[in-house]
Amino acid sequence: MKTRIADGIDWTGYIDWPVRNFHGYTTSRGSTYNAYLVRAGKTALIDTVKAPYAQNLLDSVAALCPLGKVDYVVCNHAEPDHSGALPAVMAAMPQATLVTNAKCADALSRHYDTSSWKIEIVNEGDSLDLGGKTLKFYMTPMAHWPESMVTYVPEDKLLFSMDILGQHYASSARFDVEADLAEVFQEAKTYYANIVLLYARPAAAALKKLSTLELSTVCPSHGVIWTKHLPEIVAKYLDWAPSRPAKKVVVFYGTMWGSTRKMAEAIAAGAESRGTVEVKLMDLNAADDTDVVRELMDCGAFAAGSPTLNMGILPRVAKTLTYVRGLRPADKHAFAFGSYGWGSKGAEEANGYLESFGCKIMRPPLTVRFAPDAATLEACRAAGAELADAAAAAADSWGK
Ligand code: FEO
């Protein structure tokens, strides 16, 4: 496998082709846990991999350099997909010094027994001279954990960017120019929506700071390495940061006996009838929360449907709304809808979720007892048309 990233810098990560669940995020195209070996006068390993793949990492490093010759292990981020192999790595390389910031050292000590590790604490702008190459460290707090940092190699204009600009994307390609770009950008957007969105501001601040560096290569902790298409992905990040609304409407729903589905289809048809917006209709029996969040991130308006089950919201819909609430897509126009039998609570509870994460509620929940009649379906179409108008207006007025 090709591992060379630059002269003296190799990829030593692990490609997790089959992984499909990343703490609830559905990773449809797998993932990679990227680690890198920098060899100059001294040698540094940049980040590690998930714990089960520690031996794979050690084998990759050993193929390039004796483990006893590794001088430093840099930890940019304590989340276990990158730090999980640290106990095995530090045991296999007892001579190595772990280089990280104070918050990260503290986080690591709460995950692992770090008492025997040699640890060197670095701060914003500190450098580590490897002899021929330099590692410079920049703090990127809350992008996306408090202890997050990145490592820059000025001699190569190369940045190890941690999760920033990452994608859950398993591929034999190591670089953007070798990969299917449509897939890579879609996975980058999905990653942003599901991992970065809640921390959009600190992530944008980190990117702006890092953009002042001379950069030709950015090596994230997941997915492909950015070279030729670096300006595009940076532009996309800055565009995604404020959840800029597109002329797009999303209608997602759960259904028990098809009544809420009929309402959803009528709302979507009403939105389409305007001819001004793209419409995405997502049945939660088929759609995944990971994809719902990606579509919501840049929609102009959306509707959420739930029937009433046992005097409350359908659990499948509550799961999606709980997930969406955690990521808080900002400033969306929205309303709730759904059918009920003898107590109307599903749509009302859905409406409560929308209120809880700051949606601009367009109307009271649209409900019907049992199956929707012609009048109800007409009301749904009208509400859908209003949804389209709200999305188009939000997109047109953006930034004005
Ligand atoms: Fe890929 Fe925040 O860990």
Side-chain angles (χ1 to χ4, degrees):
M1 182 192 299
K2 180 181 170 187
T3 64
R4 178 54 52 98
I5 305 303
D7 188 33
I9 301 179
D10 286 86
W11 179 85
T12 55
Y14 181 77
I15 305 173
D16 196 347
W17 292 94
V19 68
R20 290 294 181 270
N21 188 326
F22 190 90
H23 56 53
Y25 173 152
T26 300
T27 48
S28 304
R29 291 192 171 102
S31 191
T32 70
Y33 317 113
N34 294 339
Y36 303 91
L37 193 68
V38 180
R39 286 177 290 167
K42 292 190 172 182
T43 298
L45 176 64
I46 312 294
D47 291 317
T48 73
V49 297
K50 268 188 180 176
Y53 312 118
Q55 192 57 50
N56 303 77
L57 170 65
L58 291 172
D59 290 347
S60 296
V61 173
L64 296 164
C65 139
L67 297 182
K69 296 289 186 188
V70 176
D71 300 286
Y72 300 104
V73 178
V74 173
C75 181
N76 284 313
H77 179 27
E79 193 161 12
D81 50 332
H82 310 297
S83 71
L86 271 178
V89 165
M90 297 307 286
M93 307 173 184
Q95 78 289 347
T97 297
L98 183 84
V99 179
T100 192
N101 63 71
K103 282 183 185 168
C104 192
D106 176 63
L108 292 174
S109 74
R110 292 165 193 273
H111 280 90
Y112 317 110
D113 178 3
T114 63
S115 57
S116 65
W117 300 359
K118 289 187 282 183
I119 299 179
E120 182 174 333
I121 298 297
V122 291
N123 296 296
E124 173 76 12
D126 283 355
S127 295
L128 186 62
D129 185 0
L130 298 182
K133 288 188 191 294
T134 310
L135 302 182
K136 286 202 75 168
F137 306 101
Y138 296 96
M139 304 302 125
T140 55
M142 298 318 298
H144 67 118
W145 276 26
E147 86 311 342
S148 302
M149 70 176 202
V150 299
T151 301
Y152 179 56
V153 184
E155 291 82 358
D156 295 291
K157 300 176 186 172
L158 183 148
L159 180 71
F160 299 109
S161 64
M162 187 256 311
D163 283 334
I164 299 170
L165 308 187
Q167 331 96 51
H168 282 313
Y169 184 62
S171 172
S172 60
R174 296 277 67 77
F175 293 94
D176 53 359
V177 291
E178 302 167 339
D180 181 326
L181 267 186
E183 289 185 352
V184 170
F185 279 120
Q186 185 188 41
E187 293 306 330
K189 183 177 180 183
T190 305
Y191 189 91
Y192 188 97
N194 284 271
I195 300 286
V196 183
L197 185 59
L198 181 61
Y199 308 101
R201 282 189 185 177
L207 255 191
K208 282 182 183 163
K209 176 170 77 172
L210 298 172
S211 295
T212 63
L213 302 173
E214 272 197 290
L215 291 176
S216 61
T217 306
V218 172
C219 305
S221 294
H222 300 284
V224 300
I225 292 163
W226 298 101
T227 55
K228 179 181 175 186
H229 300 284
L230 178 59
E232 290 148 74
I233 188 62
V234 170
K236 285 181 184 293
Y237 253 60
L238 297 177
D239 197 46
W240 292 331
S243 290
R244 174 200 291 267
K247 291 189 177 182
K248 181 171 80 171
V249 158
V250 178
V251 180
F252 67 86
Y253 65 96
T255 194
M256 292 168 61
W257 296 107
S259 294
T260 302
R261 173 181 296 132
K262 287 177 184 166
M263 297 176 77
E265 288 171 347
I267 292 166
E272 283 179 33
S273 72
R274 284 292 203 242
T276 54
V277 296
E278 177 190 11
V279 178
K280 298 263 183 176
L281 182 60
M282 307 182 87
D283 181 339
L284 296 179
N285 285 319
D288 194 274
D289 296 346
T290 304
D291 297 323
V292 172
V293 167
R294 185 191 61 235
E295 297 303 331
L296 288 183
M297 179 175 78
D298 62 354
C299 77
F302 73 93
S306 175
T308 295
L309 175 70
N310 299 330
M311 301 302 289
I313 192 170
L314 195 67
R316 175 67 190 90
V317 181
K319 174 178 173 292
T320 296
L321 286 168
T322 300
Y323 189 69
V324 172
R325 181 175 59 192
L327 292 161
R328 282 181 228 151
D331 297 329
K332 304 297 181 188
H333 292 81
F335 68 82
F337 64 96
S339 73
Y340 66 95
W342 47 96
S344 176
K345 286 284 188 287
E348 281 78 358
E349 282 192 28
N351 184 69
Y353 276 93
L354 304 186
E355 289 177 338
S356 73
F357 57 89
C359 291
K360 297 168 184 166
I361 304 296
M362 295 174 60
R363 51 162 300 138
L366 185 53
T367 61
V368 67
R369 186 163 180 253
F370 290 120
D373 57 12
T376 301
L377 292 176
E378 184 51 40
C380 288
R381 281 190 285 272
E386 290 171 11
L387 207 55
D389 293 346
D396 285 339
S397 63
W398 177 255
K400 291 179 183 172

